[in-house]
Amino acid sequence: MTFGTRLKHLRHQLGLSQQDLANRIGLNRSTYARYETDDNQADYETLQKLADFFGTSIDYLLGRTDQSKPEPSSGKETNPSHPAAGDLQAFISERHVLYFGEEQLELSEEEQAELLRHMRLAWMIIKEKRQEQEQELQQEPQQKSRAKKRRNRQS
């Protein structure tokens, strides 16, 4: 499977248009479209953004492995008996009945896929907000330093 084919497949799994995806990772739609048709190659920074967005590895995107999800790191301890432990996609797909509080809901395969698409989008929104917050925190010391320099010049 080519780089472009993998991108298109991953994008379709999330139910996104090329424009939606391009907006989320900060690209022009036409640039992204050329990646999907293998008419253009992404630079390293864009490869990182795409891999992060899709929750996969750059090696998978480039066809160096067929394992779409990275191996879990041995440094993180998880409790496999805890319902939130492990891969959320596997958790949902292994269960046809889910509980939310007192409510029980039996999901078809299509409904499971839809739930995963929505959860992936929510996941990406959370990641984007965290990145924005980190950028703001990094900019604060610079802004304070500039304000201090202005005050010193005025004195």
Side-chain angles (χ1 to χ4, degrees), residues 74-116:
S74 58
K76 290 185 179 180
E77 294 295 322
T78 60
N79 177 357
S81 64
H82 190 279
D87 182 31
L88 191 55
Q89 183 172 357
F91 178 79
I92 290 172
S93 63
E94 291 169 0
R95 291 159 180 81
H96 294 284
V97 178
L98 294 177
Y99 297 89
F100 191 76
E102 298 293 319
E103 292 183 50
Q104 174 183 332
L105 186 61
E106 188 168 342
L107 299 174
S108 67
E109 287 184 22
E110 293 83 19
E111 291 168 330
Q112 288 175 341
E114 184 176 354
L115 178 60
L116 285 169

